[in-house]
Amino acid sequence: MARTKEFNEAKALDKAIEIFWHKGYNGTSAQDLVTYLGLSRSSLYDTFGDKQKLFSKSLQRYQLQAQNTVKELLEKSENVKETLLDIFKQAVIESLEDRITKGCFMVNSSVELAMHDEEIAKIVKDNSQTMEEVFTNAVKKGQESGHISKQLDAKVLARFIFNNYSGIRVLARTGERDKQVYDDIVKAVFSVL
Amino acid sequence: MARTKEFNEAKALDKAIEIFWHKGYNGTSAQDLVTYLGLSRSSLYDTFGDKQKLFSKSLQRYQLQAQNTVKELLEKSENVKETLLDIFKQAVIESLEDRITKGCFMVNSSVELAMHDEEIAKIVKDNSQTMEEVFTNAVKKGQESGHISKQLDAKVLARFIFNNYSGIRVLARTGERDKQVYDDIVKAVFSVL
DNA sequence: GATTAAACGGAACAATCGTTCCTGAATTAG
DNA sequence: CTAATTCAGGAACGATTGTTCCGTTTAATC
């Protein structure tokens, strides 16, 4: 029989996420991938097909990870407003800590590829819809428990929250390092809830 | 003496803005530029130096145009809140009309290049600062005239407005075509003012 | 009409791109 | 052992990249 796989496919994907996230699709060369994933050209192409497929898989994996984190936090939360605040605070911390200012992989990919690559566009669209649902359910829960104002519709607030989340990630990508800027935005956002 | 320039440098730059805006820096080839600007390889390089310089000039020109539009509208406005609403409505209209979903050239460039190209990073940073000032002054004016709530600091609101403006442009870039999504966001944003 | 410089088309550059293929070593199961 | 399969490494592919250079044409000034 045959030799077993030596490298962990999932771990290789995580590596791919990192470098695509940092350098973008067009900015990452095949050589970059070989070097950074630490496996040979042949293994890379045998395992993942081509660059586009690898990117697509990476983005999908990232989406799952990111979504699950937020989803779980909100679903088991007893005070949704506070949990949402925690999520934003975490995004701010990551934006400031991040010494290589990666922003958000999904936002970056949207901007770079969504209009030129149908498959990526589909992932992005799917992500938006799912996040909208997650936030909508969370807001509804918060409104029922009295933690969030009922002045605006849950879906309206969900889209609003998601929009500001995107905005903050763009801000991070520009390299903004002034915490006050992020805090001000979060403050204004939560004055609505 | 010498022959006079046949092509209009400013018009060529506007063409460059269009294609860079649409395809991004890495996605636009030298051949794309030759074809789209309608001038020869030699003229292009003689006039603008190289691709990076052309991109930089294009982005600066775009910045000036975009800034002046918003600046003038807000400075001569008598009801700043309404003018801000007009600006957002205009962004929404452009996002929906735009058959090739360009988003915002500045946002796109931030995400694609700001962290890899110092010159671009400088332009982006300068743009953020200027826009923050413009919005801050506008909000102050609105607060003094009673059109905008004084509950939050002018600078806080300015940053908040700018963040949502970025977010909307990202949304446009993803190809979102549902007007309701944009309208919901705008509604929530203006509930703060 | 001579001079000067700009614009042009296109050839050509080296470099890099993503991808394929080959070789030989390594490792597993029967 | 043998057979099967994966590994690493690198050579090589054609295509495309950004850029330079050259010869010719065009036009404006003197």
Side-chain angles (χ1 to χ4, degrees), chain A residues 9-25 27-29 32-33 35-38 54-55 57-63 65 98 100-106 108-109 112 173, chain B residues 115-116:
Chain A
E9 194 172 320
K11 283 195 177 177
L13 261 186
D14 284 334
K15 278 284 190 185
I17 290 177
E18 276 187 43
I19 192 163
F20 276 135
W21 189 349
H22 176 48
K23 296 188 146 200
Y25 179 81
T28 305
S29 69
D32 286 336
L33 290 167
T35 305
Y36 200 74
L37 302 209
L54 175 56
F55 185 88
K57 267 195 184 174
S58 304
L59 187 58
Q60 278 180 280
R61 183 173 168 83
Y62 171 84
Q63 181 195 10
Q65 291 172 347
D98 206 350
I100 46 169
T101 57
K102 297 200 295 277
C104 167
F105 190 24
M106 189 62 66
N108 298 352
S109 304
E112 186 185 4
R173 185 77 169 173
Chain B
M115 56 182 307
H116 302 296

Side-chain angles (χ1 to χ4, degrees), chain B residues 142-158:
Chain B
Q143 286 178 326
E144 280 163 15
S145 69
H147 289 111
I148 293 181
S149 158
K150 287 185 180 173
Q151 206 144 28
L152 288 169
D153 201 59
K155 191 172 269 184
V156 171
L157 287 178

Side-chain angles (χ1 to χ4, degrees), chain B residues 1-3 5-7 40-43:
Chain B
M1 275 293 166
R3 183 177 173 179
K5 270 192 192 298
E6 274 187 5
F7 63 90
S40 68
R41 252 176 171 61
S42 18
S43 303

Side-chain angles (χ1 to χ4, degrees), chain B:
Chain B
M1 275 293 166
R3 183 177 173 179
T4 52
K5 270 192 192 298
E6 274 187 5
F7 63 90
N8 187 327
E9 194 172 318
K11 283 194 178 176
L13 262 186
D14 284 334
K15 278 285 190 185
I17 291 176
E18 276 187 43
I19 191 164
F20 277 135
W21 190 349
H22 176 47
K23 298 186 145 202
Y25 179 81
N26 283 309
T28 305
S29 69
Q31 187 52 49
D32 285 338
L33 290 167
V34 168
T35 306
Y36 200 74
L37 301 210
L39 40 98
S40 68
R41 252 176 171 61
S42 18
S43 303
L44 202 156
Y45 276 87
D46 284 350
T47 312
F48 298 107
D50 58 14
K51 189 181 164 186
Q52 202 281 343
K53 278 181 195 139
L54 175 56
F55 185 89
S56 178
K57 266 195 184 175
S58 303
L59 187 59
Q60 278 179 281
R61 182 174 169 81
Y62 171 84
Q63 181 195 11
L64 266 182
Q65 291 171 348
Q67 271 178 12
N68 286 342
T69 308
V70 172
K71 208 170 171 180
E72 280 174 24
L73 279 174
L74 286 172
E75 275 173 2
K76 73 179 177 197
S77 163
E78 307 231 335
N79 184 338
V80 172
K81 189 171 176 179
E82 251 183 26
T83 307
L84 280 170
L85 188 56
D86 287 340
I87 290 171
F88 268 80
K89 277 183 179 169
Q90 186 58 33
V92 172
I93 289 173
E94 278 169 20
S95 300
L96 291 169
E97 267 181 354
D98 206 349
R99 303 226 96 263
I100 46 170
T101 57
K102 298 199 296 274
C104 167
F105 189 25
M106 188 64 65
V107 171
N108 298 352
S109 305
S110 308
V111 173
E112 187 185 3
L113 302 171
M115 56 182 307
H116 302 296
D117 185 317
E118 277 195 35
E119 200 176 339
I120 302 302
K122 233 158 90 181
I123 298 175
V124 168
K125 187 139 229 156
D126 177 76
N127 183 66
S128 302
Q129 281 178 350
T130 306
M131 291 304 287
E132 185 179 308
E133 281 172 29
V134 169
F135 282 139
T136 303
N137 289 334
V139 170
K140 271 184 189 162
K141 206 167 102 180
Q143 286 178 326
E144 280 163 15
S145 69
H147 289 111
I148 293 181
S149 158
K150 287 185 180 173
Q151 206 144 28
L152 288 169
D153 201 59
K155 191 172 269 184
V156 171
L157 287 178
R159 287 167 173 169
F160 169 71
I161 291 167
F162 186 58
N163 195 58
N164 278 279
Y165 195 76
S166 295
I168 282 183
R169 295 316 199 127
V170 170
L171 197 59
R173 185 77 170 174
T174 68
E176 178 61 67
R177 294 245 116 82
D178 183 355
K179 187 167 186 298
Q180 193 59 49
V181 177
Y182 296 93
D183 287 345
D184 284 352
I185 294 166
V186 174
K187 185 179 178 184
V189 171
F190 278 81
S191 77
V192 184
L193 308 191

